Amino acid sequence: MNSGARPSVLSGVLLVDKPAGISSAEVTNRLKRKFKFDRIGHGGTLDPFATGLLVVLIGEATKIARFLLEGEKEYEATAALGSETDTGDHTGEVVNRCEVPILSREEWQSFAKGWTGLIRQTPPAYSAIKIKGRPLYDYARK
């Protein structure tokens, strides 16, 4: 085998720091093309605007995807308070504005308790959740 040859079967987990502006699927597509992986997937979709850890699974490691999707997740967000957009993200048109009251640290901490722990979410129309194989944001933007 020459030094430039790739093993016939490569398996493993690759941790990718996904930048904003690219979908999770596009990250895996680019890796597949560049390295000619036979099987590749990821352990959970990040919104195209999101940055963060994308767990990429290669070869036999794709079999553990379902376990990663069931696992606990932690999110960190930066938010602009006092405005609402039609898309629920920074790309939309502002449809509502309100004053944000000055709150004490204790009031903020009390408010934040409602956003910690086990939370059941309803994904917004502009989300990466797939319906009929396409992300909701594709349908919503049309």
Side-chain angles (χ1 to χ4, degrees), residues 50-105:
T51 62
L53 180 66
L54 181 66
V55 180
V56 177
L57 307 166
I58 302 162
E60 289 294 305
T62 58
K63 294 178 181 177
I64 68 168
R66 64 187 174 106
F67 300 110
L68 295 175
L69 295 171
E70 293 171 358
E72 290 185 23
K73 296 168 183 71
E74 186 174 309
Y75 300 94
E76 184 175 311
T78 302
L81 303 177
S83 64
E84 176 185 0
T85 64
D86 58 356
T87 60
D89 62 28
H90 69 282
T91 66
E93 296 292 323
V94 175
V95 294
N96 192 17
R97 290 190 191 276
C98 67
E99 290 294 318
V100 178
I102 296 172
L103 301 174
S104 69
R105 180 183 203 83

Side-chain angles (χ1 to χ4, degrees), residues 11-19 23-29 31 37 39-47 50-75:
S11 293
V13 177
L14 181 64
L15 304 178
V16 176
D17 184 7
K18 189 192 89 57
S23 70
S24 300
E26 183 59 25
V27 169
T28 57
N29 289 340
L31 288 167
F37 294 131
R39 291 173 46 206
I40 188 169
H42 55 77
T45 301
L46 290 175
D47 184 278
T51 62
L53 180 66
L54 181 66
V55 180
V56 177
L57 307 166
I58 302 162
E60 289 294 305
T62 58
K63 294 178 181 177
I64 68 168
R66 64 187 174 106
F67 300 110
L68 295 175
L69 295 171
E70 293 171 358
E72 290 185 23
K73 296 168 183 71
E74 186 174 309
Y75 300 94

